[in-house]
Amino acid sequence: MSKKQKNSKKPNKKKFTVEENESIDACLERIKQEGYQPVRRVEEPIFIEENGEKFPYGRNIIFDAKIAKHEH
């Protein structure tokens, strides 16, 4: 492990969730501003239960991201 990695306070990987009323582009910009780059997109369904039956209600979009490599 190099000194640069030991002194780094940021985790190597982080998950970002697209917030309610946030566009995917806005989330991707937030990821970039924090110094990460997305490597995987996951969509999780959200269900609600009415009268004992489950119905699709929406979805969560989650990006797995890793620290961006800076070009010098």
Side-chain angles (χ1 to χ4, degrees), residues 4-71:
K4 192 173 191 178
Q5 288 176 331
K6 287 182 183 177
N7 294 334
S8 177
K9 302 274 183 189
K10 283 193 216 180
N12 289 333
K13 295 179 184 176
K14 189 173 177 181
K15 292 185 183 237
F16 293 85
T17 302
V18 177
E19 302 296 332
E20 190 174 330
N21 299 322
E22 179 184 37
S23 69
I24 293 173
D25 288 337
C27 182
L28 291 171
E29 184 61 32
R30 184 166 44 99
I31 293 169
K32 184 178 176 182
Q33 287 175 357
E34 290 192 32
Y36 290 86
Q37 68 182 46
V39 293
R40 182 172 170 232
R41 173 182 164 163
V42 178
E43 293 189 30
E44 297 176 343
I46 300 171
F47 294 96
I48 58 171
E49 190 171 332
E50 291 182 4
N51 301 325
E53 292 186 50
K54 292 184 178 180
F55 297 96
Y57 177 73
R59 64 181 176 184
N60 280 336
I61 300 173
I62 302 167
F63 288 98
D64 291 336
K66 65 178 184 177
I67 291 181
K69 294 181 182 178
H70 299 285
E71 295 181 25

